[in-house]
């Protein structure tokens, strides 16, 4: 161990004890990335052994027109801006049909808060996808979109979730949390829902049996204290509901945003956020190294720094690519398996709810 300040944290991790706020700060303040990684890898092995999860998935972003103007977002457009788009339900149907012969088990749907679309459109997107591919799990709409739909329709969050579940919603992504900090919210995403509301919507979804993911957006103006508070709030909710499936630390990509002057998070920071998340979130089963964001090379290394999931085949990713991501937009099942095996781990295909899938059977079922 290079940084002796980590010794008390190391002892706690080996003893299976929960880390405190102060422990989290100590981890972020340390540059001893190998010791931090070693601890995170130990926890990963305790929870998942050598298993590394991936999924065959498809992303659909039905609209990029958004009433908000979050400073870190390269995805949104105003209605009259170049590049603005809004998919018809037929176009959504077509998008699903394009890949109907592939063994996809998860369709991930998020988009802008588009005042030009009626409430029913958002519900019908889910219904349309389910009609074309009844067996897929639909992981759709962040808490930000749920709150927006409630505001637009005059319905409660509860009623919106019920409408979505009735249409075929199976799970929710973790986006929109950014960092639970009023200070950062005021500066970067003024119009988004509050941390309390994000937590309340996920709690409500969990109470309805909808499993959700959680995220943290790092690499902008946030402070270590705010990130640790964020992780502890998620951990507290997980203690209460057990409804989170996985945690995904998301690096801010400044290109094409109004914060383009900020440097991009380095590989060192990416690995540290994955490892610290693994260590703080002792009640989350999974930590994801999103290969689209990290690039394949770093995602492979992240598997030894606490991550046990690399997301999926994806094919068409807009949110990170509009922010300058240079990674490919698709990987085949064999490529995903190979990149996991190369690092000495065992690839396990999963669906959106982490049910393990027998590849050979799903290939036949489609
Ligand atoms: S992050 Fe979401 S809410 Fe904010 S501008 Fe982008 S699409 Fe809109």
């Amino acid at each position: 161990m290079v940084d002796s300040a980590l010794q008390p944290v190391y002892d706690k991790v080996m003893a299976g004890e929960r880390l405190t706020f102060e422990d989290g700060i100590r981890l972020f303040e340390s540059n001893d990335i190998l010791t931090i990684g070693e601890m995170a890898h130990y926890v990963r092995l305790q929870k998942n052994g050598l298993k590394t999860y991936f999924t065959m998935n498809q992303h659909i972003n039905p609209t990029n027109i958004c009433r908000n103007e979050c400073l870190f977002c390269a995805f949104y457009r105003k209605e009259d801006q170049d590049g603005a788009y809004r998919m018809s339900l037929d176009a959504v149907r077509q998008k699903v049909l394009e890949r109907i012969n592939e063994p996809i088990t998860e369709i991930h749907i998020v988009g802008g808060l588009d005042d030009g679309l009626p409430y029913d459109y958002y519900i019908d997107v889910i219904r349309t996808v389910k009609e074309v591919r009844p067996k897929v799990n639909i992981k759709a709409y962040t808490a930000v979109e749920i709150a927006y739909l409630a505001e637009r329709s005059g319905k409660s969050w509860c009623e919106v979730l019920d409408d979505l579940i009735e249409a075929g919603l199976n799970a929710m992504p973790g986006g929109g949390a950014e960092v639970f900090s009023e200070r950062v919210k005021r500066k970067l995403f003024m119009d988004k829902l509050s941390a309390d509301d994000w937590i309340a919507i996920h709690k409500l979804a969990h109470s309805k049996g909808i499993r959700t993911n959680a995220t943290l957006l790092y690499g902008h103006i946030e402070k270590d204290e705010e990130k640790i508070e964020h992780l502890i709030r998620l951990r507290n909710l997980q203690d209460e509901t057990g409804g989170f499936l996985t945690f995904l630390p998301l690096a801010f990509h400044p290109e094409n945003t109004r914060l383009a002057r900020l440097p991009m998070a380095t590989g060192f920071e990416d690995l540290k956020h994955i490892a610290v998340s693994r260590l703080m979130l002792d009640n989350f089963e999974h930590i994801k190294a999103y290969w689209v964001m990290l690039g394949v090379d770093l995602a492979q290394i992240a598997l030894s720094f606490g991550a046990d999931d690399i997301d999926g085949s994806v094919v068409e990713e807009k949110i990170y690519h509009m922010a300058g991501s240079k990674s490919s937009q698709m990987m085949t099942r064999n490529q995903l398996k190979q990149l996991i095996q190369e690092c000495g781990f065992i690839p396990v295909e999963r669906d959106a709810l982490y049910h393990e899938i027998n590849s050979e059977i799903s290939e036949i079922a489609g």
Side-chain angles (χ1 to χ4, degrees):
M1 183 178 300
V2 175
D3 181 359
S4 56
L6 289 179
Q7 189 65 54
V9 181
Y10 191 93
D11 293 343
K12 278 189 183 179
V13 171
M14 295 304 143
E17 284 175 33
R18 175 160 279 192
L19 300 185
T20 61
F21 175 86
E22 291 72 25
D23 294 327
I25 296 296
R26 205 171 281 186
L27 287 164
F28 268 133
E29 283 176 349
S30 174
N31 287 328
D32 187 357
I33 192 72
L34 292 181
T35 301
I36 297 170
E38 182 194 334
M39 290 187 277
H41 190 56
Y42 172 79
V43 175
R44 179 244 212 262
L45 291 176
Q46 298 285 309
K47 287 192 177 291
N48 292 293
L50 292 173
K51 284 183 174 180
T52 298
Y53 294 89
F54 70 96
T55 185
M56 297 299 290
N57 61 354
Q58 178 175 15
H59 284 206
I60 298 178
N61 306 116
T63 175
N64 69 347
I65 298 169
C66 190
R67 64 146 70 156
N68 284 0
E69 300 183 21
C70 304
L71 256 59
F72 57 78
C73 180
F75 170 71
Y76 84 90
R77 296 287 182 276
K78 292 298 160 195
E79 184 144 16
D80 51 2
Q81 242 182 316
D82 274 359
Y85 73 86
R86 183 182 283 145
M87 292 167 73
S88 65
L89 290 175
D90 266 351
V92 170
R93 186 187 310 277
Q94 208 42 51
K95 194 59 87 195
V96 181
L97 281 170
E98 277 169 17
R99 300 189 59 206
I100 197 73
N101 293 321
E102 295 172 40
I104 286 166
T105 55
E106 170 191 308
I107 297 192
H108 170 97
I109 303 170
V110 292
L113 313 181
D114 187 343
D115 290 335
L117 289 168
Y119 173 79
D120 284 348
Y121 170 90
Y122 287 84
I123 311 297
D124 288 341
V125 164
I126 308 290
R127 198 165 277 131
T128 302
V129 171
K130 210 67 172 187
E131 273 167 19
V132 183
R133 283 202 96 145
K135 288 186 192 157
V136 292
N137 282 315
I138 299 180
K139 172 160 63 76
Y141 301 140
T142 64
V144 178
E145 288 161 293
I146 303 296
Y148 168 73
L149 290 173
E151 187 200 316
R152 280 284 306 280
S153 62
K155 296 190 177 204
S156 63
W157 297 338
C158 184
E159 289 167 320
V160 171
L161 281 169
D162 286 343
D163 286 348
L164 291 166
I165 291 166
E166 193 271 323
L169 182 80
N170 301 105
M172 275 171 58
E178 323 313 355
V179 181
F180 295 150
S181 152
E182 252 324 289
R183 181 190 72 84
V184 178
K185 176 170 154 50
R186 271 199 304 277
K187 292 192 170 162
L188 300 191
F189 49 98
M190 193 51 196
D191 300 321
K192 260 191 176 164
L193 83 173
S194 66
D196 287 350
D197 286 355
W198 190 98
I199 292 273
I201 289 173
H202 280 257
K203 187 172 173 178
L204 183 61
H206 297 170
S207 75
K208 292 177 180 295
I210 293 292
R211 306 292 302 272
T212 71
N213 293 341
T215 58
L216 162 74
L217 187 74
Y218 64 88
H220 42 89
I221 60 163
E222 84 286 0
K223 297 177 180 168
D224 291 347
E225 294 78 8
E226 291 163 334
K227 288 185 283 202
I228 296 298
E229 274 164 18
H230 181 103
L231 295 174
I232 289 177
R233 287 199 73 178
L234 292 174
R235 190 171 75 182
N236 290 344
L237 182 57
Q238 182 74 329
D239 275 346
E240 210 178 318
T241 67
F244 287 119
L245 285 162
T246 187
F247 177 77
L248 165 60
L250 291 171
F252 168 58
H253 276 210
E255 204 174 319
N256 302 327
T257 73
R258 285 186 285 158
L259 296 173
R261 64 183 187 282
L262 294 180
M264 202 160 119
T266 59
F268 181 90
E269 286 176 276
D270 291 333
L271 292 176
K272 192 191 260 189
H273 282 82
I274 284 171
V276 173
S277 306
R278 178 61 289 165
L279 290 166
M280 292 302 296
L281 296 175
D282 54 18
N283 52 4
F284 277 62
E285 277 311 295
H286 305 288
I287 302 290
K288 191 183 284 189
Y290 184 33
W291 67 265
V292 172
M293 173 195 87
L294 296 171
V296 170
D297 301 353
L298 198 58
Q300 283 186 306
I301 297 171
L303 299 182
S304 296
F305 279 75
D308 62 279
D309 188 301
I310 53 160
D311 200 74
S313 48
V314 183
V315 174
E316 188 183 358
E317 197 281 341
K318 286 198 167 71
I319 294 174
Y320 265 98
H321 284 85
M322 287 170 91
S325 173
K326 304 288 184 292
S327 69
S328 134
Q329 293 208 37
M330 119 162 242
M331 276 208 278
T332 63
R333 176 188 272 148
N334 283 342
Q335 284 172 317
L336 288 162
K337 281 183 171 177
Q338 194 189 343
L339 82 83
I340 294 167
Q341 277 163 338
E342 260 178 19
C343 314
F345 294 97
I346 302 165
V348 178
E349 186 173 345
R350 62 162 176 85
D351 68 10
L353 302 172
Y354 280 84
H355 298 125
E356 296 185 10
I357 289 172
N358 180 326
S359 300
E360 283 67 38
I361 292 172
S362 82
E363 197 81 68
I364 298 161

